[in-house]
Amino acid sequence: MDVFWDRGYHDASLPDLLEGMELSRGSFYKAFVDKRGIYLRALDAYIEDAVRTVGETLHSNPSPKAAIREAFLQQLDQSSGTEGLRGCFVVLTAVEMLPEDKEVAPRISRLFRRLQDLYAAAIIRAQALGEIDPGLDERALARFLVCQIHGMRVLGKAVADREETRAMIDIALKALG
């Protein structure tokens, strides 16, 4: 994953992958068949980890609204400094591979739907507790939050100021009421 993350799919060579994974050519082909296979496995692993982490965070606090804020603050950490400059593997993949890649496109779409589902569920819980206006559309809010998060990740590649990004988080959370 690190090799693809740092170089992208097209610029990652087989020697780069062998070195990064500390595998011989034979072991690589036995385990993964080809470069494409390992790329898709790396992408799937990243996606599953992202969904798990967000899900855990959104269920980590009795206050769903506070949990949403915590999820954003985790993204702030990933959108700042060295980690921010590296960017998000999914965002980088989407920019490099979409819309042409018919195996990657549904994976990215499914990730965004799953994240939206997690945020929508947290919003519904917050609405039930009176933390968020129940008149607001939870799906539209969830799409807005996921868009804001991935926008933060893109800005992190451009050395976004941490405090400016924190201010954007405050504005995004105000949309929740």
Side-chain angles (χ1 to χ4, degrees):
M1 183 185 310
D2 287 334
V3 172
F4 288 124
W5 200 336
D6 293 337
R7 298 179 187 267
Y9 175 75
H10 293 103
D11 289 339
S13 68
L14 183 57
D16 295 333
L17 292 167
L18 296 175
E19 180 182 330
M21 297 168 60
E22 299 179 2
L23 288 176
S24 69
R25 189 177 294 264
S27 295
F28 175 86
Y29 283 116
K30 185 184 273 187
F32 303 109
V33 180
D34 61 8
K35 175 180 164 179
R36 180 97 177 143
I38 183 106
Y39 184 75
L40 294 174
R41 284 181 61 180
L43 180 59
D44 289 343
Y46 183 91
I47 288 170
E48 288 308 312
D49 184 60
V51 169
R52 180 188 49 75
T53 300
V54 170
E56 287 172 358
T57 302
L58 291 177
H59 287 92
S60 68
N61 193 311
S63 164
K65 191 172 182 181
I68 291 169
R69 180 173 186 73
E70 179 59 33
F72 264 79
L73 292 175
Q74 286 176 357
Q75 292 300 318
L76 174 63
D77 291 340
Q78 295 175 355
S79 301
S80 304
T82 305
E83 197 170 351
L85 288 173
R86 189 173 195 210
C88 169
F89 187 47
V90 165
V91 171
L92 297 171
T93 295
V95 170
E96 181 181 10
M97 306 295 278
L98 300 184
E100 295 85 18
D101 193 300
K102 302 304 180 204
E103 288 181 286
V104 172
R107 284 171 162 85
I108 303 293
S109 294
R110 197 167 35 253
L111 166 66
F112 290 147
R113 275 193 313 275
R114 290 173 71 189
L115 291 174
Q116 288 172 22
D117 290 346
L118 289 169
Y119 280 99
I123 290 165
I124 289 168
R125 290 192 308 276
Q127 288 171 325
L129 293 173
E131 295 180 344
I132 295 176
D133 179 356
L136 297 174
D137 180 339
E138 72 278 354
R139 297 300 303 174
L141 280 175
R143 280 190 298 278
F144 170 75
L145 294 177
V146 170
C147 180
Q148 291 302 306
I149 287 166
H150 287 89
M152 287 169 42
R153 299 301 298 269
V154 171
L155 290 175
K157 290 274 302 168
V159 194
D161 179 83
R162 186 175 177 83
E163 291 312 310
E164 289 175 358
T165 303
R166 184 182 293 275
M168 288 187 301
I169 290 172
D170 292 339
I171 292 168
L173 294 177
K174 284 183 183 176
L176 299 176

